[in-house]
Amino acid sequence: MPHWNVYISISGGVIMSTACNLGFLTIMTILDSDYKMENGALGIPLAPEVEKRIVDELTNIAESNLKEGNLYYVISNRWFTSWQKYTGQNVDSYLFDKHSPDSESLDFQKLVDRPGPIDNSDILVNGTDTEGNDLELRRTLQERFDYILVPQPVWEKLFDWYKGGPALPRNMISQGDFNVQFSVEVFPLCLKLIDSTDNSQSIIRLSKKASLQELYQRVCALRGIEPEKVRIWDYFNKKKHEILEDSQKTLEKAELQMDQDIVLEVQEDGFWPSRFSMDSTGNELALIPIDPPRSSVTTGGRPNLSNDHSTSYGGSFYLDSTLSSSIADTEDGYDISKAATKADRGGFAGLQNLGNTCFMNSAIQCLVHTPPIVEYFLQDYANEINEQNPLGLHGELAVAFGELLRKLWCSGRTAIAPRAFKGKLGRFAPQFSGFNQHDSQELLAFLLDGLHEDLNRVKQKPYFETKDSDGRPDEEVADECWKHHKARNDSIIVDVCQLFSQNPQGQYKSTLVCPDCSKISITFDPFMYLSLPLPSTVTRRMTVTVFYSDGSVLPMPYTVTVLMQGCCKDLSMALGAACCLSSDESLLLAEVYDHQIYQYFDTPWEPLSSIKDEEHLVAYRFPKNWAGLTRLEICHRYLENCLSDNLKGSQRKLFLTPLVTYLENPQTGADIDIAVSRVLSPLRRKTYFGPTNINGGKENDSFSGAIDESKNSSATHNGHGFQLMLNGKQEETSSRELNFQLCVTNDKGFSCWPISKDSPFKPGQSVNVMLDWTNKDHELYDSSYLKDLPEVHKAGLTAKKTRQEAVSLFSCLDAFLKKEPLGLDDMWYCPSCKEHRQATKKLDLWRLPDVLVFHLKRFSYSRYLKNKLDTFVNFPIENLDLSKYVRSKDAFGQSHVYELYAISNHYGGVGGGHYSAYAKLIDENRWYHFDDAHVSPVSEDDIKSSAAYVLFYQRVKVEPNAGLGKPPQDQVNP
């Protein structure tokens, strides 16, 4: 191996780097070992790739040592994105998909200026707080869109390099009692302290994991008062609840909410004040401690036998939970000792929003207006609580939900503040803790599963080995699957969502077919709800340039119309029709970025939503059966002269569109040369124009670019800040025997080796080469056909407004039940092939449950964006007949007609929005709108909207053969 002398020159106080790969790696090694000593002392900015490596290493170290108390810093994503671009990272992949292809695959990055000082001003609220001048973040911020979190060592390094700020430190906390998770508390608990002596107000910010003792210390330090003369009241909703005792109890377990009031009382002359002045609304606030009343009815309906206030769940589980319940009842402003029966005509109570909890309120209102669940939790369910189930939550979720349901049905029209339930929910499911917006359907799924396990009547679950169908009758396999499922799962949730009468319900049939050996596997699985896709009729115009891999025709752009929610297979079919693709041809879709193939769309089911309008797509026409051929990918370069005083010399730069062709068993470099000549043949000029030089320099037919760029006599790239000079002579090659100057490279273009006529090649799946264009090549071939690829869709064009899209609920159900292949990340292990295969999957409804829940999949996610579909789904309110969808022969004697009784709505977009619920009070046969604390009657004609997100149906009895299988008129797709 030849020895190369490497020199690093400094120009204008900035270290300069070359674009050649070997020199780049050499410099990286030198800097990485010395940056801690030399550059810090010199005050010289590091190369962008060095900054990236340092940050990546520090981040990996921090992520491998996650623990409570670790310090993270909030940084504006606007500034951080500019730093990412400067360091050559793929910004989109960072924002939306952590596992996207690494940005280092984009070797020929565009030059970006070094960002200025760190600037967090765009994520801060104007002004400062009254307490400690703490800087406040805007509440509407979203991680990865508005801000990012970096570990303390990364912040210190970035601040050392760029300065600026201000610093916004945040602590990592642990959440959950059963499923512990670590998260950074970006928005600490904000409490408004009201001083009863002068009615002044202050803002206190503390972690929800801070203790009440820390709260007392903060308040005393702020007011300059001795701790023994202070007491603080929980003053939620302008009502006195209880004294917050100075203890190690956390603010979270004290059920303090974001932005709520707390009241400070100061002892005067040994006496506590009994009241203080008027509040801002003019209401006199009485602060006389009152013992909470004791309920005479327990959660399970048993008499109360104790005055113990403990909340432990030991041997006296129901007794203790009852007393904690009675205290919570008083907090909400009423006594649960009222008769908890449906005769009270309850169900009119709203739920107060505790801070972005509308998603929870919407889901709960739908559940607490499900008639069988109401009947169950208003009766004595104590004996069915399963404390030993390892998959459950020791019965606490069932108790908390039961208490909340009883409050809602016993409070008349008084809105309930579900603080106790929200606190326990955060302990059970840390993903729902805090005060961020979440998904009502995700919460609903958690509640159904958690309530089922807490109320599971099966104490010891037996084990059953899963058996294949092996050609047995469907009825036999279905009954066997249900028998095994029922032996392990038996609860009110199973009764309601999976069981009707004595027959198994809530089953769907899943059929998998292996694409290689045609092995068929049939299973029967229970379900609690169905997630239905929304078939879209909205179209999208996409432009793709089609190339002929055999070099028979010039490339041609085609604009086709496809479904907005379609997949790459749809695009290929539309393109094939547009370019008259023959039956023995196929199309290979690819994205071109910076004159390279960024990615191939070789997965036919990849959604088109992953392709942005500003991208450049190409399609290569290949023989249909080209699996045994070698794919040849050709990228183009030209020699650019640099005349700058600091950067004298030349370098190779990419240009034009890559070409892709195929080879049949390539053996030598001559085979590569012939394939290149063939694919370029349509570009060959018919008229000779004489000598030209597109770079303005001397004509150069030498092979200066046919060896590794690191061996050039002088190669420069001012994007990295280094200048590399290597001493050595170029090797003579026999490449002049070829028609073109070619180098073989890897798929990332890191290294180049010259190709000669006799260069040996081993047959493989693909070969990547660089074609270095000479002046002679430009004389013979017209490269203009390979320039200026059109965008997928030209930005700036005003879309024509059309009427609102609408589909029927039946269309959504048909889309859910259609046959489709599994995703590449969800391959099926074929027991016959003994390999993971991308099998096709077909679902059928076998039996239906008593309560049927439809989740409309309005939210979609791709590697670039999140999207919400506002498609109007025309769903029936009455007489939803699903008879034609049920495949069980035994099920046709039952009713498959359903009636709507509740809807969870979502208004707005992905980044925000609001949830509410519609629910029908069965006794009144009237619909109501539950919008957090506000409850109002609503017309049945108004409950249909494009905001409908989760639909709740209940089976109704109908006359035999009364219109079975004939949907009413309003169910037809308009």
Side-chain angles (χ1 to χ4, degrees):
M1 178 179 295
H3 174 72
W4 299 98
N5 297 317
V6 180
Y7 303 92
I8 302 175
S9 66
I10 300 178
S11 175
V14 179
I15 301 177
M16 309 302 293
S17 74
T18 70
C20 62
N21 299 297
L22 178 59
F24 172 80
L25 295 176
T26 305
I27 294 171
M28 284 289 293
T29 305
I30 295 173
L31 286 177
D32 199 35
S33 61
D34 296 336
Y35 74 86
K36 294 181 180 179
M37 297 184 297
E38 297 181 3
N39 289 344
L42 293 173
I44 300 172
L46 297 176
E49 59 272 6
V50 179
E51 288 188 8
K52 177 183 180 299
R53 171 173 290 192
I54 294 172
V55 168
D56 287 346
E57 290 177 352
L58 293 176
T59 301
N60 291 335
I61 293 173
E63 290 182 350
S64 64
N65 188 32
L66 296 179
K67 61 182 179 180
E68 192 166 24
N70 286 358
L71 199 60
Y72 279 73
Y73 283 77
V74 182
I75 299 181
S76 165
N77 189 58
R78 183 177 64 180
W79 182 89
F80 192 77
T81 298
S82 66
W83 177 81
Q84 281 187 295
K85 292 179 179 178
Y86 169 65
T87 55
Q89 300 182 60
N90 187 341
V91 177
D92 287 334
S93 66
Y94 177 86
L95 288 177
F96 302 104
D97 187 0
K98 190 175 181 180
H99 303 289
S100 292
D102 194 87
S103 59
E104 290 180 358
S105 62
L106 303 177
D107 305 319
F108 304 92
Q109 65 189 49
K110 297 181 180 180
L111 306 183
V112 179
D113 293 335
R114 191 173 191 268
I118 299 172
D119 183 7
N120 287 329
S121 60
D122 64 310
I123 59 176
L124 293 172
V125 176
N126 293 332
T128 56
D129 300 323
T130 57
E131 192 273 320
N133 291 328
D134 288 339
L135 297 171
E136 182 182 2
L137 291 171
R138 291 192 289 114
R139 292 285 183 86
T140 57
L141 299 179
Q142 295 185 66
E143 187 177 359
R144 295 189 178 185
F145 289 90
D146 303 303
Y147 70 90
I148 57 97
L149 296 168
V150 299
Q152 182 179 7
V154 172
W155 163 260
E156 292 173 349
K157 192 59 64 178
L158 291 173
F159 183 78
D160 182 50
W161 294 335
Y162 294 94
K163 307 306 179 190
L168 302 170
R170 295 295 186 267
N171 286 315
M172 175 169 280
I173 61 175
S174 63
Q175 296 178 283
D177 291 353
F178 303 97
N179 179 25
V180 178
Q181 298 179 1
F182 292 101
S183 64
V184 178
E185 191 176 27
V186 177
F187 299 96
L189 195 61
C190 181
L191 302 173
K192 185 167 69 174
L193 177 69
I194 303 175
D195 192 332
S196 62
T197 59
D198 56 8
N199 206 25
S200 62
Q201 299 180 0
S202 304
I203 299 298
I204 302 288
R205 280 195 176 84
L206 279 174
S207 168
K208 61 183 178 183
K209 292 295 184 179
S211 65
L212 292 174
Q213 185 180 71
E214 293 177 74
L215 175 62
Y216 270 83
Q217 292 172 353
R218 177 72 70 86
V219 170
C220 292
L222 178 65
R223 293 296 184 179
I225 309 173
E226 298 177 3
E228 59 271 12
K229 294 184 177 181
V230 171
R231 68 181 181 185
I232 301 174
W233 287 85
D234 178 354
Y235 196 58
F236 178 77
N237 271 358
K238 302 294 183 182
K239 295 180 181 179
K240 182 200 66 172
H241 292 278
E242 61 179 335
I243 295 176
L244 301 172
E245 299 291 346
D246 186 351
S247 66
Q248 293 300 317
K249 186 178 183 179
T250 65
L251 305 185
E252 180 182 37
K253 292 193 175 180
E255 298 175 2
L256 296 180
Q257 304 299 309
M258 180 71 78
D259 298 323
Q260 81 156 77
D261 297 335
I262 55 175
V263 170
L264 168 66
E265 281 190 340
V266 181
Q267 195 177 62
E268 297 179 1
D269 300 327
F271 295 95
W272 297 104
S274 60
R275 52 197 307 121
F276 70 95
S277 59
M278 310 289 282
D279 68 0
S280 59
T281 62
N283 296 323
E284 193 173 23
L285 306 178
L287 293 177
I288 303 174
I290 302 175
D291 291 333
R294 300 291 179 260
S295 170
S296 60
V297 181
T298 70
T299 303
R302 297 179 176 182
N304 186 4
L305 302 177
S306 171
N307 291 328
D308 185 9
H309 289 192
S310 65
T311 58
S312 64
Y313 295 93
S316 56
F317 175 84
Y318 306 110
L319 178 64
D320 295 334
S321 65
T322 297
L323 293 165
S324 65
S325 170
S326 64
I327 297 176
D329 297 337
T330 307
E331 290 178 357
D332 291 318
Y334 68 94
D335 190 352
I336 202 171
S337 59
K338 299 176 182 179
T341 65
K342 293 188 69 175
D344 293 335
R345 297 182 61 81
F348 295 101
L351 288 165
Q352 294 182 13
N353 194 317
L354 305 178
N356 279 335
T357 57
C358 58
F359 77 97
M360 180 184 76
N361 296 345
S362 175
I364 289 176
Q365 289 290 7
C366 292
L367 282 181
V368 300
H369 285 88
T370 299
I373 291 180
V374 176
E375 291 283 357
Y376 179 85
F377 281 99
L378 289 183
Q379 297 176 4
D380 185 355
Y381 59 92
N383 291 333
E384 295 199 342
I385 294 179
N386 190 337
E387 300 178 57
Q388 289 77 38
N389 188 354
L391 300 179
L393 302 165
H394 308 301
E396 293 190 50
L397 181 62
V399 171
F401 179 81
E403 290 177 353
L404 180 59
L405 183 144
R406 293 165 71 87
K407 293 174 187 177
L408 289 170
W409 279 87
C410 297
S411 65
R413 297 179 182 268
T414 303
I416 304 300
R419 289 201 301 169
F421 182 82
K422 175 66 168 61
K424 289 186 177 181
L425 179 66
R427 292 171 51 205
F428 303 145
Q431 65 269 30
F432 298 119
S433 63
F435 303 94
N436 294 326
Q437 184 65 276
H438 295 282
D439 191 304
S440 67
Q441 184 271 333
E442 292 179 359
L443 175 64
L444 176 68
F446 168 78
L447 287 177
L448 288 175
D449 187 63
L451 290 174
H452 159 65
E453 296 296 352
D454 269 4
L455 298 171
N456 198 344
R457 303 176 185 110
V458 179
K459 306 303 181 182
Q460 297 292 331
K461 293 190 175 186
Y463 170 76
F464 297 99
E465 184 177 354
T466 303
K467 296 180 180 179
D468 202 349
S469 56
D470 288 332
R472 291 183 292 163
D474 287 346
E475 288 75 10
E476 178 184 339
V477 180
D479 290 343
E480 178 184 82
C481 291
W482 180 261
K483 179 181 178 182
H484 293 169
H485 173 74
K486 199 67 166 66
R488 294 172 55 86
N489 302 277
D490 183 17
S491 70
I492 177 60
I493 304 301
V494 174
D495 295 343
V496 170
C497 298
Q498 296 178 353
L499 186 65
F500 179 74
S501 185
Q502 298 299 317
N503 299 314
Q505 299 293 316
Q507 271 185 313
Y508 63 77
K509 174 185 175 183
S510 176
T511 305
L512 292 172
V513 180
C514 178
D516 291 352
C517 69
S518 300
K519 165 69 177 177
I520 298 177
S521 174
I522 297 176
T523 58
F524 291 83
D525 301 298
F527 65 84
M528 292 187 179
Y529 57 89
L530 297 176
S531 291
L532 306 184
L534 272 60
S536 175
T537 59
V538 175
T539 58
R540 174 187 184 187
R541 290 174 64 82
M542 302 182 71
T543 300
V544 183
T545 304
V546 177
F547 291 80
Y548 287 72
S549 62
D550 60 359
S552 58
V553 181
L554 285 170
M556 177 70 67
Y558 292 90
T559 300
V560 296
T561 301
V562 293
L563 289 174
M564 179 74 75
Q565 300 302 317
C567 59
C568 288
K569 181 181 179 181
D570 301 323
L571 178 58
S572 294
M573 292 178 64
L575 275 177
C579 69
C580 300
L581 196 72
S582 63
S583 59
D584 59 348
E585 287 183 300
S586 62
L587 289 176
L588 178 62
L589 285 173
E591 176 190 348
V592 173
Y593 178 84
D594 207 6
H595 311 292
Q596 290 181 293
I597 300 292
Y598 178 64
Q599 65 172 329
Y600 288 102
F601 296 102
D602 46 12
T603 304
W605 301 101
E606 180 166 353
L608 294 179
S609 58
S610 65
I611 302 174
K612 297 190 293 185
D613 285 347
E614 60 269 24
E615 290 176 352
H616 303 276
L617 292 191
V618 293
Y620 301 100
R621 297 177 72 143
F622 268 74
K624 195 163 192 177
N625 299 317
W626 63 281
L629 303 177
T630 298
R631 185 170 66 200
L632 175 63
E633 181 181 314
I634 308 162
C635 288
H636 311 273
R637 298 190 299 186
Y638 72 94
L639 189 64
E640 180 183 61
N641 292 330
C642 298
L643 303 179
S644 170
D645 292 338
N646 296 327
L647 303 173
K648 293 181 179 179
S650 60
Q651 64 176 344
R652 291 285 175 180
K653 297 190 70 174
L654 287 175
F655 77 135
L656 305 182
T657 302
L659 296 173
V660 180
T661 184
Y662 56 89
L663 300 167
E664 295 183 12
N665 193 25
Q667 301 292 328
T668 64
D671 298 327
I672 304 295
D673 188 69
I674 292 173
V676 173
S677 179
R678 180 185 64 194
V679 77
L680 285 177
S681 59
L683 310 182
R684 194 173 183 90
R685 298 182 189 271
K686 296 181 179 180
T687 304
Y688 180 76
F689 292 99
T692 60
N693 191 335
I694 64 169
N695 301 312
K698 293 190 287 186
E699 180 175 346
N700 181 6
D701 278 336
S702 68
F703 192 56
S704 59
I707 60 173
D708 193 313
E709 291 291 339
S710 63
K711 301 178 183 179
N712 289 346
S713 58
S714 178
T716 60
H717 190 298
N718 58 10
H720 294 293
F722 293 97
Q723 182 177 9
L724 176 68
M725 295 183 293
L726 303 173
N727 294 334
K729 294 184 179 181
Q730 300 174 8
E731 298 181 13
E732 293 295 330
T733 70
S734 59
S735 61
R736 291 193 179 126
E737 301 174 16
L738 301 177
N739 293 315
F740 303 96
Q741 295 181 5
L742 300 172
C743 303
V744 66
T745 181
N746 59 19
D747 58 349
K748 295 185 178 181
F750 279 147
S751 302
C752 295
W753 299 273
I755 299 175
S756 66
K757 181 179 180 180
D758 300 321
S759 298
F761 279 87
K762 293 182 179 179
Q765 290 185 341
S766 64
V767 175
N768 298 78
V769 299
M770 291 287 184
L771 168 58
D772 290 307
W773 282 66
T774 64
N775 293 329
K776 180 181 177 181
D777 295 330
H778 282 283
E779 294 164 5
L780 294 176
Y781 298 96
D782 186 356
S783 63
S784 63
Y785 292 100
L786 303 182
K787 294 180 180 178
D788 303 325
L789 281 177
E791 295 179 353
V792 169
H793 182 75
K794 190 65 176 176
L797 297 179
T798 303
K800 182 179 179 181
K801 292 185 178 180
T802 58
R803 72 180 185 89
Q804 187 182 37
E805 179 191 14
V807 298
S808 71
L809 184 63
F810 283 95
S811 299
C812 300
L813 192 56
D814 290 336
F816 172 75
L817 298 175
K818 73 177 182 180
K819 181 170 66 175
E820 59 183 2
L822 298 174
L824 292 177
D825 56 348
D826 190 27
M827 304 279 273
W828 172 60
Y829 183 80
C830 177
S832 179
C833 298
K834 308 297 182 183
E835 296 285 346
H836 284 90
R837 302 296 189 193
Q838 191 178 8
T840 58
K841 184 175 184 178
K842 175 70 172 71
L843 295 178
D844 292 293
L845 298 182
W846 189 252
R847 295 185 177 99
L848 298 179
D850 188 17
V851 171
L852 185 58
V853 181
F854 292 112
H855 162 226
L856 304 178
K857 298 172 69 173
R858 294 194 176 276
F859 298 99
S860 62
Y861 304 91
S862 70
R863 63 189 176 106
Y864 290 120
L865 51 85
K866 298 179 181 179
N867 184 42
K868 184 198 172 186
L869 299 176
D870 288 319
T871 305
F872 176 77
V873 177
N874 189 15
F875 52 88
I877 298 175
E878 298 178 343
N879 298 322
L880 171 64
D881 191 348
L882 300 175
S883 301
K884 63 178 182 179
Y885 292 99
V886 180
R887 293 291 176 260
S888 173
K889 297 179 181 178
D890 297 336
F892 280 102
Q894 301 177 4
S895 167
H896 298 131
V897 178
Y898 288 81
E899 181 179 357
L900 187 73
Y901 69 87
I903 307 173
S904 175
N905 300 303
H906 180 270
Y907 304 89
V910 176
H914 178 65
Y915 287 92
S916 71
Y918 292 129
K920 183 178 182 180
L921 268 67
I922 304 300
D923 293 343
E924 285 194 0
N925 194 29
R926 187 174 182 181
W927 286 88
Y928 287 86
H929 185 205
F930 293 84
D931 189 0
D932 289 333
H934 182 68
V935 181
S936 59
V938 63
S939 168
E940 186 175 278
D941 297 333
D942 295 331
I943 66 174
K944 284 188 178 185
S945 74
S946 58
Y949 184 44
V950 185
L951 307 174
F952 292 76
Y953 284 89
Q954 186 177 21
R955 190 194 305 268
V956 294
K957 294 182 179 180
V958 295
E959 295 296 328
N961 300 323
L964 293 181
K966 298 179 181 180
Q969 190 65 31
D970 68 340
Q971 298 180 32
V972 179
N973 191 1

